[in-house]
Structure formats: structure tokens, C-alpha cells
Amino acid sequence: FSLNLAADCNAVLKALQPIFQEQGMTETVHNWEDHGYLVTYIKKNGSFANLRIHPHGLVLVDLQSYNDHIKGREEVDQLLNKVEERMKELFHGNIKRVKRLPAILRGGVIDRYWPTADGRLVEYDIDEVVYDEDSPFQNIKILHSKQFGNILILSGDVNLAESDLAYTQAIMGSGKEDYTGKEVLILGGGDGGILCEIVKLKPKMVTMVASNIDQMVIDGCKKHMRKTCGDVLDNLKGECYQVLIEDCIPVLKRYAKEGRMFDYVINDLTAVPISTSPEEDSTWEFLRLILDLSMKVLKQDGKYFTQGNCINLTDALTLYEEQLSRLYCPVEFSKETVCVPSYMELWVFYTIWKKQTDV
């Protein structure tokens, strides 16, 4: 409750006490002269409530209960309704705002809470754990969402859902490129989404190289993310593609030494790091190395596509753009912002190409 006036802490406590006492809850009052009251109410079944009264006009009520059944939730709602009614009686229209948040379910069999890139907590409508395994490199989860379909989550990071064709299209150039007869290199992309979409466009050859040799990601996706990958992960080789389960850095170095060149390089390895200290962060070093090696295998008129990060992470995105001026060859870039459904945030994608020099 946010009030339009200062709160008489003792008056608020006396008004709300009977509601909790009716529940058979034991009361403990902590009183700080200038900082209001903290009152705890504990029930014999282990449920408890915290009542925090701030003298400047903020009253907070937190309830915790080991009740995940309908009756238990109804009891909580009834108690909160009584608190709200009593507060309105006490302050007669001097309540600026009442905000009741939905219950957070902790310790459930299914984890429904995942942070966005910029640190906001999102609750997903997860109703099933489809796949949950630890590889030597990371934890791999595939969870089912009612609205997004199966979602691939790697070490707590939401990677891609079956709903996220917008992501795949954006990292391929948003339909503006002609892949017919082209040589394409995909870095990462273990969910198979990019490979599946490019194969439809009749390229000459697509080579997909994993970042950390994690076969388990491919195995999980080809079984549980088929709306995304189709059948391209069923075999590591097809008429116009091959999948290499190798570390991409030695492969890139080998291709550069051999002089092998590509029309398109698509980096789906990792987002732009959130860290604002690129000189001290190993992820930034990895990112710069991948960029330099990719430019060495990119044709002079080729294009490099990659994801950036959440549009709110402006500092990190600016730092990334600064890194582009440090590559072994001069480059230019453009960027596009796309809404990726399961991310529940706007995502920035980059197109990078070698700067054309006058002869």
C-alpha cells in the first residue's frame, strides 16, 4: 500500500492485528523509532506473514505458505482481501496505490522463473520438464511452455523456443539474402534452427561447427525441438550440409590457413557479454577472437551475422561496436531490433561486412 500521507505505525498495527489473530497466528513486533515496525505472524502449520510499516507511507504485507492447492490459495486471498478492506477503512481514500503481486512458487518440481538478459524476473507458463541432463560442459534443459512450445535452456540461459522463428530469420538477414548456391558457415546453432531454414534455400554447402563439442545439445534438440530443427540433425551430413562436432576455434584457424572462404558466416555462439570491462572478461576475448577469425574466412563481399543482446543493455552493445574497430581488417555494420517471443524482450542483431577499399 502506497499512501498519500505519513503512516501512524501504531494505528496501522492495531487495525490489522485482529485479522492475523483470527488465523491463530503468533505475533512478534519489532519497533524502530524512526523506521517503523516489522511485525511477524507465525501459524502452527509453518505459514507466516511479514507486516512492514514504513512511517513515510508505505505498508507491505508478505505471506508465505506451504499451500499449493486451491483451498490454500483461497485462504491466502481471503486474508489479503480483509487486509485491503481494513486499510481502506483506516485511510479513507488516502491510499495512492494498492498493488497485489501473484504468488511466487518456490521449490516446485518445475522451475518457471527465468531472468531476462537485463535482470528482470519473468515467470513462464512451464508445465513440463521435457529433458534435463548435465553434459560435461553445461546443464541442458528443454521445458514445455503452453504458449512458446519447447524451450531450450542452457545453464540457466533461455536459448530458443519453438516459437522463435523470428530469431532465426533475424540472424540469417531477415529474408534479404539470397543463399542459393552459396557457401555458409554456422558457428554454434546446436538447436538446428538456422541449419534447417538455410537448407530450404538451396545453398551450395552449409558447414555447422559446434562451439564446445556438445553432442548432448544436438541429441536433445533432434528429439524434442523438431518444430525448430526438422530432420537436419538426424544425420551429421546431408546433400548440402555437414555438422562438425568440434571446437570452432581450431576449425576456423584451419580454414583460414587453408584459404577456405565463405559467402556467409553466422555466429550463433553467445550473446554480447553483459560485462562492461571487455579488457578483463574472457568472454570478450573469445568474442574478439571469433570475430577476427571469421573475417579471415569471409569473402570480401560476404556478410557476417550475429546476435547482440537485449536492447536495454546499451553499454554492452556500445562496447561491442567499439570492438569492431579493433579487428585486423576495417569493417562496417548495421543492426536490427527484433522481438523474440520467448525472450519477452527486444533483441539486437548485427550484420557486419568488410569495408570496401578503393583500388
Side-chain angles (χ1 to χ4, degrees):
F1 301 88
S2 180
L3 310 178
N4 287 319
L5 70 173
D8 182 334
C9 298
N10 191 50
V12 173
L13 175 59
K14 287 185 176 180
L16 298 182
Q17 271 177 331
I19 297 173
F20 296 100
Q21 291 170 351
E22 289 169 4
Q23 301 292 318
M25 303 178 91
T26 303
E27 178 186 81
T28 304
V29 180
H30 304 272
N31 180 4
W32 301 280
E33 291 183 4
D34 298 324
H35 301 286
Y37 288 8
L38 170 64
V39 190
T40 59
Y41 293 95
I42 302 174
K43 206 170 184 178
K44 290 182 179 179
N45 65 1
S47 300
F48 67 92
N50 290 327
L51 171 62
R52 184 70 171 95
I53 310 169
H54 295 271
H56 68 271
L58 181 65
V59 179
L60 307 174
V61 181
D62 295 309
L63 290 173
Q64 290 197 27
S65 175
Y66 191 67
N67 282 323
D68 193 25
H69 52 80
I70 295 176
K71 183 179 179 182
R73 280 175 281 180
E74 287 177 348
E75 290 175 355
V76 168
D77 283 339
Q78 289 171 5
L79 190 150
L80 291 175
N81 288 339
K82 289 180 180 179
V83 169
E84 188 171 329
E85 290 171 8
R86 191 68 53 87
M87 286 290 290
K88 288 178 178 177
E89 291 171 2
L90 182 64
F91 286 99
H92 306 294
N94 283 310
I95 297 177
K96 182 173 18 178
R97 184 173 66 251
V98 178
K99 182 70 173 182
R100 188 184 300 189
L101 300 176
I104 294 177
L105 304 178
R106 297 175 174 174
V109 176
I110 299 176
D111 186 1
R112 300 190 293 189
Y113 303 95
W114 300 92
T116 58
D118 60 347
R120 292 172 291 113
L121 186 63
V122 172
E123 180 176 1
Y124 286 82
D125 54 350
I126 303 297
D127 59 3
E128 182 184 359
V129 177
V130 177
Y131 183 85
D132 189 356
E133 297 289 343
D134 289 310
S135 79
F137 308 98
Q138 58 199 333
N139 174 258
I140 306 163
K141 284 185 175 66
I142 298 177
L143 308 179
H144 181 263
S145 157
K146 295 175 184 177
Q147 59 182 325
F148 301 127
N150 286 346
I151 306 175
L152 173 65
I153 299 174
L154 300 179
S155 296
D157 183 31
V158 175
N159 270 236
L160 195 75
E162 291 177 318
S163 64
D164 296 343
L165 182 59
Y167 175 100
T168 303
Q169 291 174 333
I171 206 170
M172 289 171 54
S174 296
K176 301 171 186 175
E177 304 299 322
D178 181 6
Y179 284 91
T180 307
K182 300 298 175 59
E183 291 272 0
V184 183
L185 177 63
I186 302 172
L187 306 176
D191 53 73
I194 299 171
L195 180 60
C196 179
E197 294 303 314
I198 288 185
V199 165
K200 298 175 185 176
L201 303 177
K202 304 186 184 308
K204 180 179 179 181
M205 175 56 67
V206 182
T207 302
M208 187 174 100
V209 188
S211 60
N212 50 16
I213 328 172
D214 203 338
Q215 177 71 49
M216 289 180 67
V217 173
I218 292 176
D219 291 342
C221 289
K222 73 181 181 182
K223 183 176 181 181
H224 302 293
M225 298 281 291
R226 295 191 75 83
K227 289 183 180 177
T228 295
C229 66
D231 61 1
V232 295
L233 297 180
D234 292 352
N235 298 291
L236 298 183
K237 284 190 176 181
E239 288 184 10
C240 63
Y241 72 90
Q242 60 177 340
V243 178
L244 305 180
I245 311 299
E246 301 181 47
D247 188 331
C248 66
I249 291 178
V251 172
L252 281 168
K253 289 180 177 179
R254 184 171 74 243
Y255 286 168
K257 186 176 181 180
E258 295 170 352
R260 185 170 177 187
M261 305 296 281
F262 296 88
D263 297 287
Y264 295 99
V265 177
I266 301 175
N267 179 355
D268 192 33
L269 293 173
T270 182
V272 167
I274 294 175
S275 167
T276 54
S277 302
E279 302 306 325
E280 302 174 4
D281 193 302
S282 61
T283 309
W284 280 100
E285 293 176 8
F286 172 76
L287 185 148
R288 282 195 297 267
L289 177 60
I290 292 293
L291 271 167
D292 254 333
L293 290 172
S294 296
M295 290 302 117
K296 289 179 180 178
V297 300
L298 185 68
K299 293 180 180 179
Q300 187 61 37
D301 59 350
K303 290 184 180 178
Y304 173 96
F305 296 117
T306 190
Q307 61 164 318
N309 212 313
C310 164
I311 195 172
N312 285 345
L313 296 175
T314 53
D315 290 344
L317 293 170
T318 299
L319 280 171
Y320 175 76
E321 292 167 16
E322 290 174 359
Q323 305 310 304
L324 299 180
S325 65
R326 301 184 183 184
L327 302 183
Y328 87 94
C329 65
V331 300
E332 296 178 306
F333 71 91
S334 64
K335 55 187 174 181
E336 177 184 18
T337 301
V338 174
C339 180
V340 180
S342 76
Y343 289 13
M344 300 194 198
E345 53 190 332
L346 295 177
W347 210 253
V348 178
F349 293 84
Y350 285 92
T351 303
I352 301 167
W353 60 93
K354 294 178 180 179
K355 190 173 183 179
Q356 302 299 318
T357 55
D358 295 331
V359 179

